[in-house]
Structures are given as structure tokens and as C-alpha cells.
């Protein structure tokens, strides 16, 4: 009796799993990995992965890929990873949801299981993001920024204050036809002051005032500020969240700065208009996620890799400090941030702890 292709794949995958003890490429005790069926069902979890995310082999067999990986990282059918080719080796930074509900930032490597020249499933190897990049960022880039900020504060801020003061006196007394030149000078001085301020945040964060901040109220205030700018650019901002008066513990002004920066970036990316979606949900009793999704052209991989580096920018008038400052604020709030991007848009996910 003939069997369909799906049954053939499942039969061979089960046989493959039975012979896992002979598999030498991955060690079941050393590597944290899942085995996926082509329809998105989970078929197996290694011992290390069980310890990592908390699920047993029996639990995994009743689950789908969308139960662990964020929907925003999956294709439309929720059967595989967005922008990944099933027949090749692919890498990405991604969030997974542990059994506890905690969202964990991991490095994902996915590649096919091939038997008799046919793909019968896939491996998903996950490794928790180490602090290596963050430590390197802090020790090299941010240390340099701190040194520069200290020097700039001493060498530039005082004379800049004097220049600005005399300029204001000249603007008050000048009656000629070239007053617009003074406005340009004033504007550039204010831009220098903004750069100095952001440098000082990297070097020595401002004093913060932590309290329980109502999430719905915080986001509504931010959207009220940003909707007018969005409308001027033919962009609609759609809100899809309801936190039911839940709060997070943090500095309200700093949190506003973070989300305004991300929404502003989304607006600037959508030169042809469109829609920005602001989503939010509870990840667990202890975490929330807020997601900003735009319909821009996406961020090239080589830029995405450097997006949190101080002074790196692709904007003509950019300082290259908005993203690293925002990321630092999130880390100080014991949260995390992940950016994923494709040709159809960019998604910024911010994970924050609930109120203390």
C-alpha cells in the first residue's frame, strides 16, 4: 500500500531518531538542540536543551515550533524560520520562550536532516547569547566613549556655553538682513549640545528615578507624541496591546526615550508611508514584551551587525548614539532587546521585567 510523502518523512524521521545514539556530529549531552518536523511539529529535544528551556522529550512531542520560538521569527505557516532556506545552513539571533515563560536571547543555527536525498526534518541548535559581545562593547567602545565624553565635557562645554551666550546677545541686537545665519549657527550649537549630552549618558548615566510605571499609560503618552509626526509622513500607528493596568519598574523618562527613539527610527525608515504596529503581551508573570514593527525596506545584514556600536550611523544628521544609549537603558532596566529585519520591514522587540 502506498504511503503519502508526509507519512514517508515521519517514518524515516522516527527511524532516524531511534538511531540517534549513533549520531556523531552532535553530542546529545553537550549540545542544546531540537529536531523539527517539516510541518512545524517538534520531534526531539536533547538532554542539554531540556535543562536549558525546561521541557521534557514527552512534552516536546506534543508541541509546535511556535510554542517555543516567537511568531515574529517564523514564516506564515509557522512551520519554519522566516527568511531561512530549509535546505541550507542558516544562523540568526533569536528569542525563545522557556517553560517558565522567560524569554531567552539565543544564537540559532538551523540545518536540514537529509535521508535518501530528501529533507525529512531540521536541526535547531540553540546557544544562549554569551556576554562576550556585551563585555567587548563595554570595555572597548563604551570605554572610549566615556574617555571622549570626559575630555569633551572639560574642553568643549564651557567655551560652547560662552559662544552660545554671546550669540544670543548678537541675535538680540542685530538688525541686518542676514539674521538667518544666526539661526543656523544656533541650530548647530544645539546639535553639538545634544551630542555632548548623549556622550555623557554613555560615560556616566544620569541619575534615575525608578518607580512602578503603568504600561498602558506610558505607551499611550508615547503614541500621542509620535502620531502627529507619523501622520506628516503618511504613516499610521496601530496599537495592539492591553496590559490591564500592569506596571513595570523603571525610570519613566528613560523608558519614553527608548520607545520614542525606536518609533522615530521606524518612521524615518518608511519613506513611502505605511503602517507601524505597536504590539505588547505578557511573556510570563515576570516579563512583558513590547514590539515595534515597521513596513520599511529592512536593514542590511552588515548594518544590523553594527547597529548598537557608538558613533555608527547611516543618517546624514545622525550622531550614532541613539541605539547604543537606548540599549544601555534597557540593560540597566534588566531587560533585553532584539532586532530582526527582512525586505518587508523591521521588528524591534523589547523585553522588560514586571514591577518589583
Amino acid at each position: 500500500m502506498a504511503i503519502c510523502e508526509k507519512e514517508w518523512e515521519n517514518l524515516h524521521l522516527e527511524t532516524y531518531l531511534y538511531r540517534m545514539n549513533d549520531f556523531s556530529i552532535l553530542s546529545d549531552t553537550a549540545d542544546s538542540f531540537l529536531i523539527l518536523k517539516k510541518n512545524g511539529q517538534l520531534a526531539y529535544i536533547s538532554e542539554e536543551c531540556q535543562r536549558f528551556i525546561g521541557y521534557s522529550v514527552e512534552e516536546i512531542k506534543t508541541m509546535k515550533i511556535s510554542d517555543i520560538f516567537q511568531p515574529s521569527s517564523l514564516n506564515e505557516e509557522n512551520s519554519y524560520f522566516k527568511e531561512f532556506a530549509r535546505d541550507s545552513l542558516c544562523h540568526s539571533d533569536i528569542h525563545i520562550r522557556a517553560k517558565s515563560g522567560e524569554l531567552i536571547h539565543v544564537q540559532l543555527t538551523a540545518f536540514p536532516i537529509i535521508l535518501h536525498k530528501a529533507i525529512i526534518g531540521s536541526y535547531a541548535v540553540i546557544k544562549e547569547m554569551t556576554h562576550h559581545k556585551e563585555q567587548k562593547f563595554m570595555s572597548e567602545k563604551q570605554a572610549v566613549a566615556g574617555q571622549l565624553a570626559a575630555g569633551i565635557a572639560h574642553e568643549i562645554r564651557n567655551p560652547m556655553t560662552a559662544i552660545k551666550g554671546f550669540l544670543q546677545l548678537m541675535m538680540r541686537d542685530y538688525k541686518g538682513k542676514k539674521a538667518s545665519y544666526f539661526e543656523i549657527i544656533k541650530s548647530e550649537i544645539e546639535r553639538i549640545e545634544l551630542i555632548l549630552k548623549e556622550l555623557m549618558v554613555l560615560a556616566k548615566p544620569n541619575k534615575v528615578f525608578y518607580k512602578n510605571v503603568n504600561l498602558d499609560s506610558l505607551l499611550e503618552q508615547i503614541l500621542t507624541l509620535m502620531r502627529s509626526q507619523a501622520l506628516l509622513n503618511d504613516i499610521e500607528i496601530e496599537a495592539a496591546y492591553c496590559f490591564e493596568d500592569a506596571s513595570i519598574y523603571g525610570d519613566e523618562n528613560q523608558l519614553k526615550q527608548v520607545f520614542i527613539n525606536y518609533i522615530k527610527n521606524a518612521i524615518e525608515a518608511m519613506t513611502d508611508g505605511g503602517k507601524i504596529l505597536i504590539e505588547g503581551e505578557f511573556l510570563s508573570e515576570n516579563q512583558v514584551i513590547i514590539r515595534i514593527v515597521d513596513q520599511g525596506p529592512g536593514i542590511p545584514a552588515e548594518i544590523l551587525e553594527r547597529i548598537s556600536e557608538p558613533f555608527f550611523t547611516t543618517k546624514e544628521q545622525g550622531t550614532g548614539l541613539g541605539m547604543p544609549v537606548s540599549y544601555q537603558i534597557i540593560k540597566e532596566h534588566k531587560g533585553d532587546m532584539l532586532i530582526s529585519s527582512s525586505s518587508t520591514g523591521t521588528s524591534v522587540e523589547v523585553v522588560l521585567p514586571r514591577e518589583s
Side-chain angles (χ1 to χ4, degrees), residues 3-156:
I3 61 173
C4 68
E5 181 182 355
K6 181 179 178 181
E7 291 174 332
W8 183 90
E9 290 169 354
N10 288 338
L11 178 63
H12 281 80
L13 188 58
E14 290 298 327
T15 304
Y16 182 82
L17 293 172
Y18 182 75
R19 299 178 61 187
M20 274 288 296
N21 290 334
D22 297 327
F23 191 62
S24 59
I25 295 177
L26 288 173
S27 165
D28 194 29
T29 58
D31 296 290
S32 183
F33 67 89
L34 297 158
I35 291 182
L36 322 174
K37 295 182 180 181
K38 287 181 69 176
N39 64 357
Q41 288 287 137
L42 299 175
Y44 185 79
I45 181 172
S46 70
E47 289 182 11
E48 181 61 29
C49 197
Q50 290 177 54
R51 288 189 286 269
F52 184 29
I53 63 177
Y55 289 107
S56 66
V57 174
E58 290 72 24
E59 290 173 313
I60 282 292
K61 288 181 178 178
T62 66
M63 298 169 63
K64 298 180 179 179
I65 186 175
S66 55
D67 293 324
I68 291 181
F69 294 91
Q70 290 295 101
S72 60
S73 64
L74 303 177
N75 60 18
E76 292 183 0
E77 297 79 23
N78 283 339
S79 62
Y80 202 59
F81 305 103
K82 186 191 297 182
E83 305 295 321
F84 275 26
R86 197 185 286 271
D87 60 352
S88 61
L89 178 71
C90 300
H91 305 276
S92 181
D93 291 352
I94 205 167
H95 275 126
I96 60 171
R97 193 193 303 266
K99 187 176 180 178
S100 64
E102 180 186 4
L103 205 65
I104 305 172
H105 194 180
V106 300
Q107 292 175 316
L108 168 70
T109 301
F111 55 93
I113 300 172
I114 301 174
L115 191 65
H116 303 309
K117 299 183 179 181
I119 297 174
I120 60 172
S122 302
Y123 271 97
V125 183
I126 53 177
K127 295 183 179 180
E128 187 171 12
M129 292 290 286
T130 66
H131 295 293
H132 175 70
K133 289 183 179 179
E134 184 179 347
Q135 289 172 346
K136 186 177 181 181
F137 171 84
M138 293 292 289
S139 63
E140 295 180 6
K141 302 290 185 180
Q142 207 161 340
V144 170
Q147 293 171 2
L148 282 172
I152 287 171
H154 180 70
E155 300 293 339
I156 297 181

